[in-house]
Amino acid sequence: MELLIVEDDSVLGKAVQRGLIEAGHQCEWVRSGQKGFEEAQSQRFDVIVLDLMLPDLSGLEVLKSLRAQGQRTPVLILTALGTIDERVAGLNAGADDYLVKPFAFPELIARLDAISRRAQVKPSASTV
């Protein structure tokens, strides 16, 4: 998969990028909401991994803007914000999945794989 990681924490961003590359994925990592928004508009990614607490443009603003423009790239929110209200807000804004930090790396990989599978499946015509 071609992945865009939008994460301002350099230690976590580097670790996520390295782990995903080791798992066989291609990753671009940016450190701000504005840069993430620009990259998501200018390149095609299979999945976007998006933090919510970002400098200059929040992850929620990035997500809402992308969805408002018709961008359908699957988005997994990866954030420390984990209350029910925060998760519901992220999903209602258009996220395909929501994972709270700290997280287990195998779960991140499994969720990315699941999102990617769902995005590729085209519903078949009903024969009812």
Side-chain angles (χ1 to χ4, degrees), residues 8-16 18 29:
D8 64 319
D9 182 280
S10 59
V11 173
L12 182 60
K14 195 177 296 184
V16 169
R18 183 178 54 244
W29 168 38

Side-chain angles (χ1 to χ4, degrees), residues 7-112:
E7 170 62 61
D8 64 319
D9 182 280
S10 59
V11 173
L12 182 60
K14 195 177 296 184
V16 169
Q17 182 183 38
R18 183 178 54 244
L20 292 172
I21 289 171
E22 288 173 2
H25 303 291
Q26 295 181 341
C27 299
E28 180 174 341
W29 168 38
V30 297
R31 294 165 181 85
S32 77
Q34 184 62 44
K35 185 68 173 167
F37 180 69
E38 292 167 5
E39 290 300 312
Q41 288 183 302
S42 67
Q43 294 186 47
R44 183 169 172 354
F45 295 96
D46 296 308
V47 180
I48 299 169
V49 178
L50 181 63
D51 187 14
L52 292 182
M53 296 184 294
L54 297 165
D56 69 26
L57 190 62
S58 77
L60 209 52
E61 291 171 308
V62 170
L63 179 58
K64 287 178 179 179
S65 297
L66 289 173
R67 294 304 189 233
Q69 293 182 348
Q71 172 77 257
R72 297 181 56 126
T73 303
V75 173
L76 181 142
I77 291 176
L78 182 62
T79 184
L81 302 176
T83 68
I84 297 288
D85 288 342
E86 290 162 337
R87 288 181 278 171
V88 168
L91 293 167
N92 284 340
D96 298 273
D97 202 354
Y98 198 109
L99 185 59
V100 178
K101 301 172 187 172
F103 60 95
F105 206 80
E107 181 180 7
L108 174 62
I109 298 279
R111 287 175 180 267
L112 291 172

